[in-house]
Amino acid sequence: MSVVFRVNGKSARSNAPSHTPLLWVIREDFKFTGTKFGCGRGLCGACIVHIDGRRALSRQTELSQVAGKSVTTIEGLSRDSSHPLQKAWLAEGVPQCGYCQSGQIMNAADLLARNPKPDREQIIAHMNTNVCRCGAYQRIVRAIERAAKEPEP
């Protein structure tokens, strides 16, 4: 059975088994490889995407759960990397290995969508679902604080 949904603003259809993790569908079928497989258990946040504008763990979400919904990956956050978070990430020198960064940015975008002016404690609390193996946590917090001061494109 075919599952119809939207990916990064475009209509999408997948014939993968309905129990297939969304992560594999967006990476393998649609070639949006910015979203990463990390721990496989929903503990690190590398696989975060947005479903209908809210953060979701794509490795823990079955394809059947996105039928009729809208999925946004890091590639869909902005067409040209002009989102304030993407610019702030570079300005604060956040990326090191880069593996967790798409999940970090998507989680931060979820936070700013819900709370455009979070304080430091709110940022830390919201971002505690993401693991950065390089330990760039302070730079991540600074980047989110910087982005919160910018208007969204």
Side-chain angles (χ1 to χ4, degrees):
M1 184 169 113
S2 192
V3 176
V4 178
F5 58 107
R6 295 185 71 71
V7 178
N8 296 334
K10 295 183 179 178
S11 182
R13 177 183 303 272
S14 176
N15 293 318
S18 63
H19 64 275
T20 303
L22 176 62
L23 174 64
W24 304 131
V25 173
I26 60 178
R27 287 182 59 83
E28 300 299 323
D29 293 354
F30 300 108
K31 306 302 182 200
F32 293 120
T33 58
T35 305
K36 305 294 188 221
F37 174 83
C39 66
R41 297 180 53 210
L43 302 173
C44 73
C47 67
I48 291 177
V49 297
H50 293 176
I51 299 174
D52 286 345
R54 301 297 298 258
R55 69 180 171 182
L57 299 168
S58 62
R59 172 59 184 87
Q60 307 307 114
T61 303
E62 292 184 359
L63 176 61
S64 63
Q65 295 174 278
V66 299
K69 296 184 179 180
S70 179
V71 175
T72 305
T73 68
I74 188 70
E75 292 91 348
L77 195 59
S78 74
R79 294 184 190 276
D80 59 359
S81 298
S82 64
H83 190 282
L85 281 165
Q86 292 168 314
K87 293 191 303 189
W89 240 245
L90 294 175
E92 293 296 334
V94 175
Q96 288 183 45
C97 80
Y99 198 82
C100 71
Q101 297 311 304
S102 63
Q104 297 272 4
I105 291 171
M106 294 304 286
N107 196 20
D110 176 71
L111 169 64
L112 295 181
R114 292 195 228 181
N115 180 359
K117 300 295 179 194
D119 63 32
R120 189 172 192 78
E121 290 75 30
Q122 291 168 322
I123 293 170
I124 292 168
H126 187 84
M127 297 301 293
N128 74 359
T129 58
N130 289 77
V131 175
C132 174
R133 289 159 183 85
C134 298
Y137 296 109
Q138 293 305 315
R139 284 178 277 171
I140 290 167
V141 170
R142 284 195 309 266
I144 296 168
E145 290 172 329
R146 178 187 287 254
K149 295 175 186 171
E150 298 289 323
E152 194 165 326

